[in-house]
Each structure stands twice: as C-alpha cells, then as structure tokens.
C-alpha cells in the first residue's frame, strides 16, 4: 500500500513542483492538499481541500496520513505587513503541523530558510527560526528541515525585484559563498522527498543547509 502525503503551500513556487513530483511518484498512493485558493491540479490520486486557515477547528481532522510536506510562505510585499506575513509563515504552518502531530502523522518535512535562527536580527530569518524551534517540540517521529537560499523558478505572479536579486545572487555566489548559491524550486521539492526515503534509520530532526540540498536532490 502506498503512502499518503499531505501538502501545504501547493500554489507556491516549491509546493507546485512538489505536487507534480508526488503525483508521478508511485510510492505515493494519494496526495492531499490544504489550500486557500484552487491549485488547478487534476489527477486521480489528488484531493484538494479549500479551507480557511483562520478556522482550524473546521479542517484539523483533514490533516492525516503518513507525511506532511509544508512549503507555505509569502513575501512581506504580498502580505502587506509583518503581522500578516507572520500569520502565514508561522501561525498557519504551525497549526497544520500541530494538527498532523495530533492525528498521528509520523514524518514532517518543512521548507525553512538559509540563516534561520530564532534570535536573528532579521525579521524573516527570525520568524523561520522560531517556526523550526516550535515544530521540533511536536510529536513527530522524524522532522526534516530544508534551508534553501534564493529560490529560482517561474512563479505565477511576476516579481521583478526577485529576478534582480536572483541574478545578483547567482553572480556573487559563484565568486564567494558558493554554498549559498540560488537553487531551483524543483530541486528543493525533490530534496524534500529524498530526505524521507534516504533516512530510514533516523529519528528526530535533520536539518539540511543550503549547500547540502544540491546533493540531497540528486541522490
């Protein structure tokens, strides 16, 4: 019998690629996603739940299966405020993880960020560090945390500023901090799946830093 995957962030850059890979992966019998807006996917083993993340009592029971993949996130410009961004990147993701833990999901795979640290001076990496710390207190058998650097890929919405940053980061990291070079969203998605299958003897938390994701994605 195949595995049941639960995914949040299916409409995002990494989540979209993750869904495509999961649907083609014969090891997964079903893929269930929690979304705020329709993802557009149609597949025999795909189930989509359109939910209001502000009302966890209405959807907590849906977060059941074998592996929770969490790739939810937004930008400060899109969220409109740090408060709104924190709600999406921390609160919503934590609540889903908490529900999964209560419902007996054994594995949790989280997309975090390079430099994530709860006492970081930067809001974004501080928020990601706080989330990492919080989910590690939940009752999962295994937690895999991905810390990618700049993400590359085609988004549904155009973010010109991100394109400029990607080009700059690509050039600079070729010269200096190579391990922090930009990584394609599809590679991060593949690394998320590979982490589950190449760590059979692991219990607890495994954190993959930016440079390690390139190797993990190609295992």
């Amino acid at each position: 019998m195949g595995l049941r995957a639960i995914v949040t962030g299916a409409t995002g850059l990494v989540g979209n690629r993750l869904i495509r890979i999961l649907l083609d992966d014969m090891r997964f019998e079903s893929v269930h996603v929690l979304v705020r807006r329709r993802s557009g996917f149609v597949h025999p083993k795909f189930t989509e739940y359109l939910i209001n993340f502000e009302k966890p009592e209405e959807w907590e029971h849906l977060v059941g299966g074998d592996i929770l993949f969490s790739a939810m996130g937004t930008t400060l410009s899109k969220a409109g405020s740090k408060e709104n961004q924190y709600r999406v990147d921390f609160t919503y993701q934590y609540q889903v993880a908490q529900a999964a833990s209560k419902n007996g999901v054994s594995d949790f795979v989280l997309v975090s960020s390079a430099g994530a640290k709860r006492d970081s001076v930067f809001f974004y990496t501080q928020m990601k560090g706080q989330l990492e710390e919080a989910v590690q207190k939940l009752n999962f058998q295994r937690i895999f945390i991905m810390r990618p650097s700049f993400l590359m890929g085609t988004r549904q919405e155009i973010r010109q500023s991100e394109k400029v940053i990607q080009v700059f980061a690509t050039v600079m990291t070729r010269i200096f901090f190579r391990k922090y070079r930009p990584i394609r969203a599809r590679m991060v998605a593949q690394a998320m799946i590979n982490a589950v299958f190449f760590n059979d003897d692991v219990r607890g938390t495994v954190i993959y830093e930016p440079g390690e994701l390139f190797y993990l994605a190609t295992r």
Side-chain angles (χ1 to χ4, degrees), residues 23 29-30 42-47:
L23 292 177
E29 181 180 67
S30 61
V42 178
H43 193 279
K45 66 179 185 181
F46 180 79
T47 302

Side-chain angles (χ1 to χ4, degrees), residues 152-216:
M152 299 182 68
T154 303
R155 298 181 185 272
Q156 293 180 348
E157 70 276 14
I158 298 174
R159 297 176 182 174
Q160 194 61 40
S161 60
E162 287 191 2
K163 288 185 178 180
V164 174
I165 293 173
Q166 286 178 3
V167 172
F168 177 77
T170 300
V171 173
M172 292 301 292
T173 52
R174 283 177 180 173
I175 303 172
F176 300 107
F177 306 103
R178 181 169 172 76
K179 69 178 181 178
Y180 291 107
R181 65 192 185 278
I183 184 170
R184 294 203 168 276
R186 181 176 178 82
M187 293 191 74
V188 176
Q190 188 64 63
M192 294 173 74
I193 296 171
N194 289 355
V196 174
F197 293 105
F198 289 101
N199 289 283
D200 289 337
D201 58 341
V202 169
R203 291 294 180 273
T205 301
V206 179
I207 297 176
Y208 289 97
E209 298 294 347
E212 297 173 315
L213 292 177
F214 289 92
Y215 170 71
L216 180 60

Side-chain angles (χ1 to χ4, degrees), residues 67-70 97 106-110 135 140 142-144:
I67 307 164
L68 170 62
F69 294 96
S70 188
S106 62
D107 294 343
F108 178 44
V109 186
L110 172 68
V135 298
F140 292 105
R142 302 187 301 173
I143 298 175
F144 301 103

